Amino acid sequence: TLSKSDWQILGWAALYHDVGKGSGRDHSTRSIEILKADFARWKLESVFNKENFAFWCNTPFAMKRTS
């Protein structure tokens, strides 16, 4: 069973997973760059572990299994 925090991580990761498409680069890598920049800008680094988000953002198959 996933905790409330787990669901929050998955929700954010799902939103960010494809945001890097169209950049001309690997979209997962670009998505993670955008995610980390946004977290720094919004000061969410102290609230959420951005490395957890980066992992899930780059793991679409794991997200599909979990959802």
Side-chain angles (χ1 to χ4, degrees):
T1 303
L2 296 175
S3 69
K4 182 179 179 180
S5 177
D6 292 334
W7 284 111
Q8 290 173 335
I9 290 170
L10 287 173
W12 279 95
L15 286 171
Y16 273 90
H17 173 72
D18 288 332
V19 79
K21 284 188 174 178
S23 68
R25 299 174 28 208
D26 175 65
H27 78 277
S28 294
T29 301
R30 182 63 185 131
S31 294
I32 291 169
E33 292 170 354
I34 294 168
L35 176 142
K36 289 181 177 183
D38 285 351
F39 272 39
R41 183 179 311 115
W42 298 330
K43 311 251 187 286
L44 293 175
E45 294 172 311
S46 62
V47 178
F48 296 111
N49 179 333
K50 68 181 175 185
E51 296 308 321
N52 285 343
F53 281 95
F55 169 79
W56 285 107
C57 187
N58 199 28
T59 312
F61 298 110
M63 286 176 26
K64 286 179 186 176
R65 264 190 235 131
T66 306
S67 60

